[in-house]
Amino acid sequence: MLSFADLPALTRGILLQSPAAPVAPVQHLLLDSRRVGQPAGTVFFALRGAQHNGHRYLTDLYQRGVRLFVVDREAEIPGGVAAFPQAGFVRVEDSLLALQAIAAQHRRQFRIPVFGITGSNGKTIVKEWLAQLLSPDELICKSPRSYNSQVGVPLSVWELNPTHTLGIFEAGISERGEMERLARVIQPTLGIFTNLGTAHDAGFTSAAEKVGEKMRLFEKVDTLFYCRDHEAVHTAAQQLTDPRRFTWSRNHHYDTNVAVTVAEASADRTVVRVSVAHPVLQEHMLTLPFADEPSLENALHGVAVLLWRQVPAAEIQRRLDRLQPVAMRLEMKQAVNDCYVLDDTYNNDLAGLTLALDVLARQPRRGRRTLILSDVLESGLPSAELYTRVNAQLTVHGVERLIGIGPEISQHQALFGAAEATFFDSTEAFLASFRPDDFRHETILVKGARRYGFERIVAAFQQKIHGTMLEVDLDALVHNLNFYRARLQAGTKLMVMVKAFAYGSGSYEVANLLQFHRADYLAVAYADEGVDLRQHGISLPIMVMNPSPGSFQKLRQYHLEPEIYSFERLQDYLGIAREYPMPAIHLKLDTGMRRLGFAEEDVPALCNVLRENAAYVRVASALTHLAGADEEQHNDFSLQQLAAFQRMTPQVESALGYRIVKHALNSAGILRFPEAHFDMVRLGIGLYGVEASGQQQNALRPVSSLQTTISQIKTLAPGQTVGYGRRGTAADYDRRIATLAIGYADGYDRRFGNGVGEVMIRGQRAPLVGNVCMDMCMVDVTHIPLAQAGDTAIIFGAALPLTELARRIGTIPYELLTNVSERVKRVFFAE
Ligand SMILES: *Cc1c(COP(=O)(O)O)cnc(C)c1O
């Protein structure tokens, strides 16, 4: 056990102040100020990133009971250590390095085998499958999900405890120098190099440099496992001084430890023949429960480890049969009675539970927070202690209702102090008494070990919801947010446009995420959109771009800040502001868009009105909007607009006598006019994954994917036509036509009909046939023989980019995104 007094020596830091009272041993390492669990025994590390500075949260954390802090700038402790009389402070050179040093020290206390896993793809799946394959023999500590970064690795390793017999940790890097630091934390004794792809090439000058850097994880391992067919990996592995290599190969039958030949492949499984040279030549047939190449490769790494450990072939087969797909993400699904279900039915260990509860706690409040939880497995703790800890987690994360399922959790029901708790011995018992009406407006985390089959519970919650959905990838959204953020100067604020239902993505879910990630401002088009956000607990400042004259009372009531673009609107506002205090306003200046706003010649008169009414109106900002920010050909015009803006705003400021926030740029402008970010920028379409200037599309991740299902497939004889107006042209061969459960009432544009549009089914494109109908449309799947009713059809998404589809029907991605009708359910997910 580590104590706070050990930290200065371990981190080469300086003790600025000892805690006033003796404190508990260090138990929790905290990096994110929003995730305080039990403050006792928690050490907060004030990390800094491009847009983030942990020192800013010290006061808040202190008020919440945290007493131990590691900082790297004494000057940034608000009020100095004297303002924190009870707390202990250590100042270090670099808080991240200190965190890693502490995790490395923790790791040193365990003399158990530890796998380090790296490579370009498959790290998480290889880790999870290896853990599944070894779980009958070992008590395993592994990284939760894909915690493989400079901060994720130390947090993962910190979870090691004396009951573990094996560690499995993954390491991911994007630049030189990073792996050495991760290796010092993981201290692997065994290694797996999954493969080498092109991911993250940006941080390296060559492929050789990349593989060399990754290989540094294995400099001290006893044995390194890899696939001999990746030549670059093999070459680099030979440079390592010490380690023994244990390789498998499909191409090399001699120069490898395990030779693999595919004997038989069908749609859902692959039979392989493996020859092992060690300790005596043996040959086995093994059946792997998949057919795709990536899964095969990921599983074969695990098979190689089992063969190396000399697990008998029959036992390997038994374990392969039980291999479960890895759910890489936590899905948020719309369910009965306005409930949402967070689906995490894949595993249930303590670390995974904590992560899932974090996600639950971050969801917007729409009613109670409910947890359906199975027995927690493989904790290595005595069960009374385990469920005491689980109960503490529930309290910390604000769970108001618990449904425990399984003999063990039921046996310990007395340990749960949650407001409302019910228990069932089995999933069947729960389902037998399940009544959808017992759940209303709740956010329900369904978290169960695989063997409990909780997917049946999720299905029960979703039974009445139909097939078409818009999947929204919240991680991609955050990625895009950070991409734009990284392009801003330190003090520049970020306003995010969530108008039009957040460009179709679901307004308050997106707004809630933006609030969590500390956007500075939100903007909507109409007052009602703002009211809706407030009613869902959004407290960020909100600008309303087009407030109607009748909406000003509402603005006051919900503290929404109007954009004022004309003298009429200003009078509407003042009419109320002279009687009641009103939220601040945003002045829209028209510099060339000629849509809304005060023209340059209006500014003197505007200044007079503002001066005369200074007692009633406060101006928060002035903005303008560029007419051609995304196109090179309009650069001169854009620069003229910006120049006009810079002539107008000083006049307003001098009339007001105070500084106001100035902003001009939308997503395309942020990238194209870095010199004109001013005090704030307005991010819109870029957040949703479309790079409007078309220059850096690859840097963004697509956020939403519209999907539906095949309702029916028909075979049409030569000469038959499809749909209304007999438009689906006849052919001279048999055609298979799939009817999809989406039409123009869902927002699928009629212009896609008759071969203009394509959808994606089983990884292949299928062209539209005939007209798009109100609730359905038809596609030709003659060339996709496996297509069947119930299959998913992707309308747009990563493989069918919005920009391409928009071009096909002569519109812009904005229209496709915002057209998706509100009757299409939104499903949100994050890793
Ligand atoms: C919608 C909007 C934006 C965002 O534009 P994008 O092109 O989506 O980034 C910015 N400013 C104003 C005034 C807007 O109406």
Side-chain angles (χ1 to χ4, degrees), residues 497 499 503 545 588 595 625 666-667 682-685 814:
M497 315 309 279
K499 58 192 179 191
Y503 289 53
M545 292 194 290
K588 179 68 167 287
R595 200 168 60 173
H625 196 37
N666 65 354
S667 308
R682 299 187 303 272
L683 177 61
I685 191 101
Y814 297 77

Side-chain angles (χ1 to χ4, degrees), residues 309-560:
R309 288 170 61 120
Q310 300 181 27
V311 177
E315 176 63 17
I316 296 180
Q317 185 62 58
R318 247 193 309 280
R319 294 182 190 184
L320 284 174
D321 291 340
R322 287 199 303 252
L323 215 49
Q324 298 293 343
V326 176
M328 295 292 289
R329 58 200 205 182
L330 204 62
E331 284 198 45
M332 173 87 146
K333 297 175 169 168
Q334 203 169 349
V336 291
N337 301 331
D338 192 31
C339 290
Y340 274 81
V341 167
L342 266 169
D343 180 357
D344 196 4
T345 54
Y346 156 65
N347 70 12
N348 195 15
D349 53 27
L350 206 50
L353 175 64
T354 308
L355 279 180
L357 285 170
D358 277 345
V359 177
L360 177 68
R362 285 194 330 241
Q363 299 311 313
R365 246 191 203 283
R366 39 174 89 69
R368 284 192 292 192
R369 292 197 178 114
T370 299
L371 169 66
I372 302 183
L373 180 71
S374 78
D375 286 352
V376 178
L377 305 179
E378 291 164 22
S379 71
L381 297 172
S383 57
E385 184 179 343
L386 169 65
Y387 290 101
T388 305
R389 282 203 201 179
V390 170
N391 181 52
Q393 288 292 331
L394 302 196
T395 315
V396 166
H397 291 90
V399 172
E400 288 136 308
R401 179 181 189 187
L402 169 71
I403 295 168
I405 297 180
E408 219 181 75
I409 194 168
S410 297
Q411 201 191 338
H412 290 92
Q413 45 183 283
L415 296 174
F416 289 92
E420 187 186 329
T422 34
F423 294 86
F424 298 87
D425 269 340
S426 65
T427 308
E428 290 70 26
F430 170 77
L431 288 171
S433 73
F434 175 72
R435 287 193 17 227
D437 285 350
D438 293 342
F439 299 85
R440 288 197 175 272
H441 316 294
E442 285 164 58
T443 309
I444 306 162
L445 170 63
V446 181
K447 178 91 182 111
R450 195 78 204 175
R451 75 163 81 124
Y452 285 88
F454 272 16
E455 58 277 1
R456 290 172 292 165
I457 297 179
V458 174
F461 274 109
Q462 286 206 289
Q463 58 201 352
K464 291 191 198 122
I465 310 277
H466 91 124
T468 299
M469 62 172 182
L470 185 77
E471 257 197 9
V472 180
D473 180 344
L474 298 176
D475 289 333
L477 205 92
V478 172
H479 168 91
N480 299 341
L481 179 72
N482 289 335
F483 168 78
Y484 285 95
R485 247 194 194 153
R487 271 141 195 88
L488 305 182
Q489 299 288 326
T492 309
K493 289 183 165 34
L494 185 65
M495 173 183 269
V496 183
M497 315 309 279
V498 292
K499 58 192 179 191
F501 206 45
Y503 289 53
S505 303
S507 48
Y508 66 86
E509 289 83 358
V510 171
N512 185 63
L513 190 74
L514 294 168
Q515 178 160 300
F516 181 76
H517 286 279
R518 302 195 170 106
D520 297 290
Y521 249 100
L522 299 177
V524 294
Y526 297 103
D528 286 343
E529 295 178 294
V531 172
D532 191 43
L533 293 180
R534 286 281 183 259
Q535 286 174 340
H536 283 96
I538 302 298
S539 56
L540 282 178
I542 298 175
M543 177 176 92
V544 177
M545 292 194 290
N546 206 347
S548 60
S551 68
F552 282 89
Q553 284 291 1
K554 240 184 225 164
L555 299 182
R556 187 173 71 83
Q557 200 182 339
Y558 289 94
H559 209 87
L560 304 167

Side-chain angles (χ1 to χ4, degrees), residues 115 189-192 218 221-225 243-246 308:
F115 275 96
T189 62
L190 299 164
I192 298 181
F218 306 124
V221 301
D222 299 324
T223 303
L224 173 63
F225 299 84
R244 268 166 286 213
R245 293 184 288 272
F246 192 87
W308 172 78

Side-chain angles (χ1 to χ4, degrees), residues 88 102 119 163 239 279 334 466 525 528 580 596 598 703 820 825 830:
I102 289 164
T163 65
Q239 320 278 314
Q334 203 169 349
H466 91 124
D528 286 343
Y580 314 98
L596 295 178
F598 294 95
V703 167
V820 178
K825 69 179 166 170

Side-chain angles (χ1 to χ4, degrees), residues 4 17-23 62 67-68 84-89:
F4 187 73
Q17 175 170 294
S18 296
V23 289
Y62 186 70
R67 289 292 175 264
L68 308 176
F84 300 78
Q86 308 281 323
F89 276 90

Side-chain angles (χ1 to χ4, degrees), residues 71 211 234 466 526 737 759:
V71 298
V211 67
H234 183 55
H466 91 124
Y526 297 103
I737 303 296
V759 306

